[in-house]
Amino acid sequence: EMDPQERAFQERIDAGEKIEPKEWMPDGYRKNLIRQIGQHAHSEIVGQLPEGNWITRAPTLERKAILLAKVQDEAGHGLYLYCAAETLGVSRDELFEMLHEGKMKYSSIFNYPTLTWADMGAVGWLVDGAAIMNQVPLQRTSYGPYARAMIRICKEESFHQRQGFDIMMKMANGTAAQKRMAQDALDRFWYPALMMFGPSDKDSVHSAQSMAWKIKMNTNDELRQKFVDQTVPQAEYLGLTVPDNDLKKNEETGHYDFTQPDWAEFFDVLKGNGPCNADRMAARKEAWDGGAWVREAMAAHAAKKKAAKLA
Ligand code: 3HC
């Protein structure tokens, strides 16, 4: 049974009001948001690693400049989201400590390797495509700072997806070897991209409560279906084949029937057994330790400036 304060809060949520940092909120709402926003931010930061690997290997200066801009955008998305998480009373240091100690997650997609340049196309097209599918509804989430961060992030995401699709177009219409690379990238990224939407609704731990609090606006399966319906025609346009022999348009529902990802693989990757989990964590810890002197210097400088102002 809800106590009066929680009932009043739920009425605000149901009325579509935005909850702001200084306002009362149930502890569960705060904890759920720290979890989701923190992991969203970690996904942006860890997500820079697979693409970062190709900045020095881009085939042309133009592609290098585009990829550099995209990876820098992701860093910025991470910072907006860490700022949103900090408004809930958690520090960035705590969030990073929980990530490094395996107490917080990041999107499993980033535990897969980027083996060829075509992967830069598949990541932009499929991973950013899935991220957009998930982030657009989150612009209407009930927590003010999170909704506003999403509005800014969504503005930049469409460029991420377009540049990826452009790479896929170039390669799918290129030499036979390039087309094979594009098909290989689609084969390797299709199911991990479907996993980005989370487990099936029946296995979703947070969906019911998150949707009641408008921390989540759609169910995992709903967005996954939307992503498949939008992406299959794009694959056909590229002349590529989605690696799912049972994929077919259901004339009754108007949706594509498709094969679910391998959920055993999904939970195994979440447990840390994906191809790149160890590398990603090592890279993040090294970056965090390597950047300590910058954080300390900035803090010392800020303290000196503050002292000078007070003097
Ligand atoms: N990778 C890692 N963990 C995942 C996951 C995935 N693909 N999908 C689900 N999980 C985790 C959940 O975090 C939860 O674990 P937790 O309790 O330790 O947090 C558990 O699996 C059960 O899943 P639920 O469905 O119960 O969890 P959620 O209700 O949180 O749904 C979600 C998962 C849809 C990812 C939701 O958290 C969400 O919408 N998050 C915000 C968007 C986001 O984080 N997207 C990640 C990609 S953004 C990105 O990649 C950047 C882009 O620029 C490329």
PDB file of all heavy atoms in Angstrom, residues 19-21 80 83-84 87 143-150:
ATOM      1  N   ILE A  19      10.083  15.497 -12.668  1.00  0.00           N
ATOM      2  CA  ILE A  19      10.602  15.514 -11.298  1.00  0.00           C
ATOM      3  C   ILE A  19      11.973  16.179 -11.357  1.00  0.00           C
ATOM      4  O   ILE A  19      12.812  15.786 -12.183  1.00  0.00           O
ATOM      5  CB  ILE A  19      10.744  14.086 -10.746  1.00  0.00           C
ATOM      6  CG1 ILE A  19       9.422  13.305 -10.895  1.00  0.00           C
ATOM      7  CG2 ILE A  19      11.206  14.120  -9.284  1.00  0.00           C
ATOM      8  CD1 ILE A  19       8.229  13.908 -10.183  1.00  0.00           C
ATOM      9  N   GLU A  20      12.212  17.163 -10.501  1.00  0.00           N
ATOM     10  CA  GLU A  20      13.496  17.872 -10.514  1.00  0.00           C
ATOM     11  C   GLU A  20      14.336  17.496  -9.297  1.00  0.00           C
ATOM     12  O   GLU A  20      13.801  17.019  -8.290  1.00  0.00           O
ATOM     13  CB  GLU A  20      13.253  19.387 -10.567  1.00  0.00           C
ATOM     14  CG  GLU A  20      12.571  19.840 -11.864  1.00  0.00           C
ATOM     15  CD  GLU A  20      13.370  19.518 -13.150  1.00  0.00           C
ATOM     16  OE1 GLU A  20      14.616  19.370 -13.077  1.00  0.00           O
ATOM     17  OE2 GLU A  20      12.749  19.399 -14.214  1.00  0.00           O
ATOM     18  N   PRO A  21      15.660  17.681  -9.380  1.00  0.00           N
ATOM     19  CA  PRO A  21      16.579  17.164  -8.351  1.00  0.00           C
ATOM     20  C   PRO A  21      16.193  17.464  -6.903  1.00  0.00           C
ATOM     21  O   PRO A  21      16.296  16.609  -6.037  1.00  0.00           O
ATOM     22  CB  PRO A  21      17.914  17.823  -8.714  1.00  0.00           C
ATOM     23  CG  PRO A  21      17.847  18.045 -10.177  1.00  0.00           C
ATOM     24  CD  PRO A  21      16.401  18.320 -10.487  1.00  0.00           C
ATOM     25  N   TYR A  80      27.256  14.405 -20.207  1.00  0.00           N
ATOM     26  CA  TYR A  80      25.892  14.922 -19.893  1.00  0.00           C
ATOM     27  C   TYR A  80      25.227  13.963 -18.914  1.00  0.00           C
ATOM     28  O   TYR A  80      24.572  14.368 -17.956  1.00  0.00           O
ATOM     29  CB  TYR A  80      24.965  14.945 -21.115  1.00  0.00           C
ATOM     30  CG  TYR A  80      25.375  15.713 -22.339  1.00  0.00           C
ATOM     31  CD1 TYR A  80      24.886  15.311 -23.588  1.00  0.00           C
ATOM     32  CD2 TYR A  80      26.222  16.813 -22.298  1.00  0.00           C
ATOM     33  CE1 TYR A  80      25.236  15.986 -24.747  1.00  0.00           C
ATOM     34  CE2 TYR A  80      26.563  17.497 -23.453  1.00  0.00           C
ATOM     35  CZ  TYR A  80      26.076  17.079 -24.685  1.00  0.00           C
ATOM     36  OH  TYR A  80      26.425  17.731 -25.846  1.00  0.00           O
ATOM     37  N   CYS A  83      26.556  13.980 -15.399  1.00  0.00           N
ATOM     38  CA  CYS A  83      26.034  15.180 -14.706  1.00  0.00           C
ATOM     39  C   CYS A  83      24.597  14.923 -14.254  1.00  0.00           C
ATOM     40  O   CYS A  83      24.234  15.260 -13.129  1.00  0.00           O
ATOM     41  CB  CYS A  83      26.070  16.392 -15.634  1.00  0.00           C
ATOM     42  SG  CYS A  83      27.729  16.998 -15.938  1.00  0.00           S
ATOM     43  N   ALA A  84      23.805  14.282 -15.106  1.00  0.00           N
ATOM     44  CA  ALA A  84      22.410  13.996 -14.716  1.00  0.00           C
ATOM     45  C   ALA A  84      22.399  13.048 -13.514  1.00  0.00           C
ATOM     46  O   ALA A  84      21.638  13.254 -12.558  1.00  0.00           O
ATOM     47  CB  ALA A  84      21.657  13.369 -15.896  1.00  0.00           C
ATOM     48  N   THR A  87      23.097  14.696 -10.110  1.00  0.00           N
ATOM     49  CA  THR A  87      21.998  15.472  -9.477  1.00  0.00           C
ATOM     50  C   THR A  87      21.203  14.583  -8.510  1.00  0.00           C
ATOM     51  O   THR A  87      20.408  15.069  -7.722  1.00  0.00           O
ATOM     52  CB  THR A  87      21.017  16.046 -10.526  1.00  0.00           C
ATOM     53  OG1 THR A  87      20.353  14.948 -11.163  1.00  0.00           O
ATOM     54  CG2 THR A  87      21.718  16.905 -11.549  1.00  0.00           C
ATOM     55  N   TYR A 143      12.231  12.088 -15.152  1.00  0.00           N
ATOM     56  CA  TYR A 143      13.250  12.822 -14.398  1.00  0.00           C
ATOM     57  C   TYR A 143      13.831  13.933 -15.274  1.00  0.00           C
ATOM     58  O   TYR A 143      14.502  13.663 -16.273  1.00  0.00           O
ATOM     59  CB  TYR A 143      14.348  11.882 -13.876  1.00  0.00           C
ATOM     60  CG  TYR A 143      15.300  12.582 -12.928  1.00  0.00           C
ATOM     61  CD1 TYR A 143      14.810  13.221 -11.771  1.00  0.00           C
ATOM     62  CD2 TYR A 143      16.656  12.663 -13.187  1.00  0.00           C
ATOM     63  CE1 TYR A 143      15.658  13.908 -10.912  1.00  0.00           C
ATOM     64  CE2 TYR A 143      17.522  13.330 -12.335  1.00  0.00           C
ATOM     65  CZ  TYR A 143      17.018  13.951 -11.193  1.00  0.00           C
ATOM     66  OH  TYR A 143      17.853  14.641 -10.342  1.00  0.00           O
ATOM     67  N   GLY A 144      13.646  15.177 -14.883  1.00  0.00           N
ATOM     68  CA  GLY A 144      14.015  16.357 -15.671  1.00  0.00           C
ATOM     69  C   GLY A 144      15.414  16.322 -16.264  1.00  0.00           C
ATOM     70  O   GLY A 144      15.578  16.365 -17.499  1.00  0.00           O
ATOM     71  N   PRO A 145      16.456  16.205 -15.405  1.00  0.00           N
ATOM     72  CA  PRO A 145      17.824  16.231 -15.948  1.00  0.00           C
ATOM     73  C   PRO A 145      18.094  15.119 -16.973  1.00  0.00           C
ATOM     74  O   PRO A 145      18.835  15.320 -17.939  1.00  0.00           O
ATOM     75  CB  PRO A 145      18.693  16.070 -14.699  1.00  0.00           C
ATOM     76  CG  PRO A 145      17.843  16.635 -13.598  1.00  0.00           C
ATOM     77  CD  PRO A 145      16.443  16.256 -13.934  1.00  0.00           C
ATOM     78  N   TYR A 146      17.473  13.957 -16.803  1.00  0.00           N
ATOM     79  CA  TYR A 146      17.681  12.839 -17.743  1.00  0.00           C
ATOM     80  C   TYR A 146      16.990  13.148 -19.072  1.00  0.00           C
ATOM     81  O   TYR A 146      17.592  13.009 -20.137  1.00  0.00           O
ATOM     82  CB  TYR A 146      17.123  11.552 -17.128  1.00  0.00           C
ATOM     83  CG  TYR A 146      17.520  10.252 -17.809  1.00  0.00           C
ATOM     84  CD1 TYR A 146      18.690  10.129 -18.571  1.00  0.00           C
ATOM     85  CD2 TYR A 146      16.727   9.120 -17.659  1.00  0.00           C
ATOM     86  CE1 TYR A 146      19.039   8.928 -19.166  1.00  0.00           C
ATOM     87  CE2 TYR A 146      17.079   7.895 -18.241  1.00  0.00           C
ATOM     88  CZ  TYR A 146      18.225   7.811 -19.008  1.00  0.00           C
ATOM     89  OH  TYR A 146      18.570   6.613 -19.598  1.00  0.00           O
ATOM     90  N   ALA A 147      15.743  13.632 -18.998  1.00  0.00           N
ATOM     91  CA  ALA A 147      14.992  13.965 -20.226  1.00  0.00           C
ATOM     92  C   ALA A 147      15.738  15.031 -21.021  1.00  0.00           C
ATOM     93  O   ALA A 147      15.903  14.912 -22.244  1.00  0.00           O
ATOM     94  CB  ALA A 147      13.596  14.454 -19.857  1.00  0.00           C
ATOM     95  N   ARG A 148      16.260  16.052 -20.309  1.00  0.00           N
ATOM     96  CA  ARG A 148      16.939  17.143 -21.025  1.00  0.00           C
ATOM     97  C   ARG A 148      18.260  16.665 -21.640  1.00  0.00           C
ATOM     98  O   ARG A 148      18.613  17.050 -22.761  1.00  0.00           O
ATOM     99  CB  ARG A 148      17.155  18.327 -20.064  1.00  0.00           C
ATOM    100  CG  ARG A 148      15.833  19.004 -19.673  1.00  0.00           C
ATOM    101  CD  ARG A 148      16.031  20.295 -18.901  1.00  0.00           C
ATOM    102  NE  ARG A 148      16.541  20.082 -17.538  1.00  0.00           N
ATOM    103  CZ  ARG A 148      15.767  19.877 -16.483  1.00  0.00           C
ATOM    104  NH1 ARG A 148      14.450  19.797 -16.616  1.00  0.00           N
ATOM    105  NH2 ARG A 148      16.288  19.716 -15.277  1.00  0.00           N
ATOM    106  N   ALA A 149      18.958  15.764 -20.937  1.00  0.00           N
ATOM    107  CA  ALA A 149      20.207  15.202 -21.516  1.00  0.00           C
ATOM    108  C   ALA A 149      19.859  14.434 -22.786  1.00  0.00           C
ATOM    109  O   ALA A 149      20.566  14.506 -23.798  1.00  0.00           O
ATOM    110  CB  ALA A 149      20.882  14.280 -20.505  1.00  0.00           C
ATOM    111  N   MET A 150      18.737  13.699 -22.756  1.00  0.00           N
ATOM    112  CA  MET A 150      18.337  12.883 -23.920  1.00  0.00           C
ATOM    113  C   MET A 150      18.021  13.776 -25.121  1.00  0.00           C
ATOM    114  O   MET A 150      18.371  13.445 -26.249  1.00  0.00           O
ATOM    115  CB  MET A 150      17.095  12.048 -23.566  1.00  0.00           C
ATOM    116  CG  MET A 150      17.406  10.787 -22.811  1.00  0.00           C
ATOM    117  SD  MET A 150      18.440   9.659 -23.764  1.00  0.00           S
ATOM    118  CE  MET A 150      19.988   9.917 -22.979  1.00  0.00           C
TER     119      MET A 150
END
